[in-house]
Amino acid sequence: MADKKKRQRGKEINSALIKYGFGKFINRSIKSKIFPSKEEEEYSILLDDELPVNLRLMFQELGTSFIKLGQLLSTRPDMVGEKIATEFEKLQDDNPPVSYEEVKSTIESELNGNIEDLFAEFSEESLATASIGQVHMAKLPTGEKVAVKIQKAGIADTIDTDLIIMKNLAGKLHKNDELRKFNLPGIMDAFDHSIHIEIDYINELINMKQLERNFADDETIHIPIAYPEYCTSKVLTMEFVEGTKMQDVIESDSDEFDKPLLAKRVLDSFMKQLLLDGFFHDDPHAGNMFVLDDNVLCYIDLGTVGILDDDFRKELCDLLMLVGDKDVKGVINQFIYMGVVDYTMDTTDLKRDLRDLFFRYLNDDVGGLNDIFDKLLSLMQDYGIILPNEFATMARSLSMIESVSSNLDPNVDMMASIEPIATIEVKNRTDLKSLLSDKKGSILYYKNMLKSLLPLLANSIHKIENGDMSIRFELDSLDRIVSKFSLVVIIAALLISSSLVMTVTRGPMLFDMPLISVVGYIITLILGVIGIINYLYSR
């Protein structure tokens, strides 16, 4: 049955490829590959003006999996080009609603009970329908009003079937000289990973809980309460949000809402997610925000989030500050440091284009960071530079956030929100206590290094004793070497011991640190300076 379904779906996809003019790249005969016609030799798919539109129409026709892939690619103009990315932004979810009977069956199967026993009330009419699931309003036996998201039956199997076919197509298209640079197999692997995260509702539950913890001390931001006992990979139950949709607030002329304040809260809350937490809503458009009483901002729909590791988050802070300062050389150096630009690359033209970009979009309130990052992604594509997925996700989310905030308040300044938070991050990095916050990891690292060093030293001594290794010293410089080595050992011992003492919370303290640690660091600094002076003098 599964093979029959796969064959039928394969025929549908092949028919769509032929319908929209892509069959020639999939179904070429051996003869045409070896002896292409003059027309085939002269034709370039990438120069075809109808390519973006035909791709979008084909993806829309083929349904959920292809629509989701197109929406993902719409965030990567550096990979597929600006025209295709822009066209893919027009893709709409294919969302026919499913019947109440199907919803009831899924809930009872997933939650192991009758829907009448599980919920005091359950609305048969859906509140919203998307390509993967739909939402119904209900009430728990304990009285809480909730929204229940139910995954459409069979959607996971449909996506898995499509992925098998899509990966096969990507492998065939990758053999085309023009298309090889897009790394279609790599794109499919990334899509496979992201779509399986999205269709497992447990991931959304985890995301909600994490974001709730991140804003636990901020009363101006609200994350809907989730009910884990009513959640599975196919059912998600959360607080029903009683508020006003952000889009309605944007369009409202009422004095009920403080739009400039909301614009600031939108920006500040997102910059905290991005630059301090490294965990952010990656689809923060107006449809995924509500405004509650007292202008409290509520985020919903956390099926997918962006996650940045600490290194990338810190590098991103530096990059954003450099962009805000219009520091062209600094931006390029930061890209080199991040491994995005090869240090051997001639950056003369790139500097010129970046300078022009900053002049046009960071002056006189023209454009904004939205335009900056959109144009930056396109510019990188022109230079054949593929940016990390995290950067593309961040740029897309920033674009949405700026759109929401500027619609609330046209005078809002995104850099005004970025700079204070980025400054906090940079300050945290230079704070001594922060530098030592990972002391446990550092101690383990050095312990493991010493464990590896001792066997290596023993093995070296054994080789010397057997005559397998010889060491030659220049006696006239031996005393100088020993002196320098001794100083290094003393500095290292002081630094490590002072760091270990940082764990002490009693006794004399200075700057919230143990006094003995501060003294140790001062002595280490003095010895380091002496060592540098001696080194320079000896030269």
Side-chain angles (χ1 to χ4, degrees):
M1 185 69 180
D3 288 341
K4 182 179 179 181
K5 182 178 178 182
K6 181 181 173 183
R7 286 195 298 271
Q8 178 61 34
R9 182 57 172 161
K11 289 179 181 178
E12 292 174 4
I13 293 173
N14 196 59
S15 296
L17 286 166
I18 294 171
K19 176 180 177 180
Y20 291 99
F22 301 107
K24 66 184 78 173
F25 297 100
I26 304 298
N27 303 316
R28 289 181 66 192
S29 65
I30 296 176
K31 179 181 177 181
S32 67
K33 291 179 182 178
I34 299 174
F35 304 109
S37 66
K38 184 177 180 181
E39 182 182 351
E40 288 174 326
E41 285 183 334
E42 293 177 351
Y43 176 73
S44 172
I45 187 172
L46 299 182
L47 298 179
D48 191 333
D49 292 335
E50 297 180 356
L51 172 66
V53 174
N54 285 337
L55 274 174
R56 195 248 311 162
L57 292 174
M58 183 180 73
F59 276 34
Q60 188 73 57
E61 183 176 308
L62 288 173
T64 300
S65 303
F66 285 82
I67 291 171
K68 291 291 182 183
L69 174 60
Q71 290 171 341
L72 173 68
L73 294 178
S74 72
T75 69
R76 299 306 307 261
D78 59 314
M79 296 180 72
V80 298
E82 189 171 1
K83 289 183 179 179
I84 293 176
T86 301
E87 192 65 33
F88 277 166
E89 289 176 356
K90 301 174 185 177
L91 284 168
Q92 300 295 320
D93 279 341
D94 182 20
N95 53 7
V98 298
S99 67
Y100 171 70
E101 287 70 25
E102 185 177 312
V103 167
K104 179 181 178 183
S105 175
T106 299
I107 287 177
E108 293 183 341
S109 173
E110 289 293 311
L111 299 182
N112 299 314
N114 294 323
I115 196 167
E116 293 82 5
D117 298 328
L118 293 166
F119 298 94
E121 298 176 11
F122 195 96
S123 173
E124 296 187 11
E125 296 294 324
S126 64
L127 291 172
T129 304
S131 56
I132 292 177
Q134 66 186 42
V135 180
H136 288 251
M137 185 170 65
K139 182 179 287 187
L140 298 179
T142 48
E144 294 90 345
K145 194 174 181 181
V146 294
V148 185
K149 181 156 71 171
I150 308 97
Q151 190 174 114
K152 293 180 179 179
I155 193 67
D157 292 337
T158 300
I159 289 172
D160 285 338
T161 298
D162 282 356
L163 280 169
I164 293 172
I165 298 171
M166 292 161 88
K167 286 184 175 182
N168 183 40
L169 286 173
K172 290 182 177 180
L173 291 170
H174 189 63
K175 296 175 183 178
N176 182 281
D177 292 338
E178 280 190 285
L179 302 178
R180 189 174 295 118
K181 69 176 183 178
F182 293 119
N183 187 20
L184 297 178
I187 289 176
M188 286 311 308
D189 287 339
F191 175 62
D192 187 348
H193 177 72
S194 67
I195 193 67
H196 277 99
I197 288 176
E198 186 174 352
I199 63 176
D200 185 347
Y201 289 170
I202 293 299
N203 289 314
E204 184 167 357
L205 171 65
I206 293 170
N207 295 339
M208 291 172 67
K209 290 293 185 181
Q210 182 61 54
L211 205 60
E212 182 182 7
R213 285 191 291 271
N214 292 348
F215 284 104
D217 298 327
D218 189 344
E219 295 181 352
T220 68
I221 305 299
H222 180 73
I223 308 301
I225 299 168
Y227 297 89
E229 61 273 27
Y230 290 90
C231 297
T232 71
S233 62
K234 296 181 181 179
V235 176
L236 180 68
T237 304
M238 71 192 87
E239 166 195 1
F240 182 83
V241 177
E242 302 273 9
T244 306
K245 294 179 180 180
M246 180 60 80
Q247 191 59 44
D248 292 340
V249 172
I250 290 171
E251 296 172 0
S252 171
D253 294 326
S254 170
D255 294 333
E256 179 184 356
F257 308 104
D258 188 337
K259 292 185 180 182
L261 176 62
L262 280 170
K264 187 176 186 306
R265 286 181 176 175
V266 167
L267 282 177
D268 289 350
S269 64
F270 185 77
M271 293 309 161
K272 177 187 182 302
Q273 294 174 54
L274 183 69
L275 302 179
L276 294 184
D277 302 330
F279 184 92
F280 61 95
H281 197 313
D282 80 344
D283 197 21
H285 57 76
N288 284 335
M289 296 180 198
F290 276 78
V291 178
L292 312 184
D293 291 341
D294 298 323
N295 294 293
V296 170
L297 175 64
C298 177
Y299 286 97
I300 65 168
D301 195 2
L302 287 152
T304 56
V305 295
I307 301 177
L308 308 179
D309 63 49
D310 278 347
D311 288 340
F312 186 85
R313 179 178 58 80
K314 293 171 184 176
E315 291 163 0
L316 182 59
C317 279
D318 296 339
L319 181 64
L320 289 175
M321 292 185 74
L322 290 167
V323 169
D325 291 339
K326 294 175 279 190
D327 185 344
V328 172
K329 186 176 180 181
V331 168
I332 291 177
N333 288 337
Q334 185 66 15
F335 274 140
I336 292 173
Y337 176 74
M338 295 170 73
V340 173
V341 173
D342 193 292
Y343 73 94
T344 61
M345 174 182 171
D346 183 354
T347 59
T348 303
D349 292 341
L350 181 58
K351 286 179 183 177
R352 180 200 64 217
D353 290 339
L354 278 175
R355 195 175 296 111
D356 178 61
L357 195 67
F358 292 165
F359 178 77
R360 292 176 60 189
Y361 294 97
L362 287 179
N363 275 305
D364 301 322
D365 297 324
V366 176
L369 283 185
N370 173 7
D371 293 312
I372 275 289
F373 284 109
D374 282 348
K375 298 300 180 183
L376 188 57
L377 287 172
S378 298
L379 183 62
M380 294 297 107
Q381 203 256 355
D382 292 341
Y383 281 89
I385 298 169
I386 303 298
L387 294 168
N389 285 330
E390 297 91 340
F391 189 93
T393 302
M394 175 276 300
R396 173 176 175 266
S397 299
L398 274 177
S399 170
M400 293 181 186
I401 282 294
E402 188 188 40
S403 175
V404 173
S405 59
S406 61
N407 281 329
L408 285 166
D409 180 10
N411 298 317
V412 72
D413 182 0
M414 182 175 269
M415 283 308 301
S417 289
I418 290 178
E419 287 175 355
I421 293 178
T423 301
I424 291 172
E425 168 53 36
V426 172
K427 182 180 178 181
N428 287 343
R429 259 182 275 167
T430 57
D431 180 71
L432 192 55
K433 291 189 73 174
S434 250
L435 290 172
L436 298 171
S437 62
D438 62 343
K439 50 187 171 290
K440 289 183 180 179
S442 298
I443 291 170
L444 288 173
Y445 171 78
Y446 289 118
K447 184 194 77 172
N448 292 333
M449 185 174 68
L450 286 172
K451 284 174 67 177
S452 302
L453 183 61
L454 292 175
L456 179 63
L457 184 60
N459 186 45
S460 299
I461 293 172
H462 179 70
K463 286 185 177 182
I464 293 171
E465 289 176 345
N466 292 337
D468 296 330
M469 181 186 292
S470 61
I471 301 177
R472 185 180 68 192
F473 290 100
E474 294 184 15
L475 295 178
D476 60 338
S477 61
L478 184 58
D479 288 341
R480 190 165 64 252
I481 293 173
V482 171
S483 176
K484 290 180 179 179
F485 182 73
S486 299
L487 184 60
V488 170
V489 170
I490 292 171
I491 291 174
L494 276 170
L495 186 61
I496 293 172
S497 60
S498 298
S499 300
L500 290 173
V501 176
M502 282 293 292
T503 59
V504 176
T505 57
R506 296 181 180 180
M509 306 291 283
L510 182 63
F511 305 121
D512 292 328
M513 295 183 289
L515 178 61
I516 191 171
S517 285
V518 176
V519 173
Y521 286 127
I522 292 173
I523 295 173
T524 301
L525 178 63
I526 293 171
L527 290 176
V529 172
I530 292 172
I532 293 171
I533 292 172
N534 286 339
Y535 171 74
L536 295 174
Y537 180 79
S538 65
R539 295 185 66 183

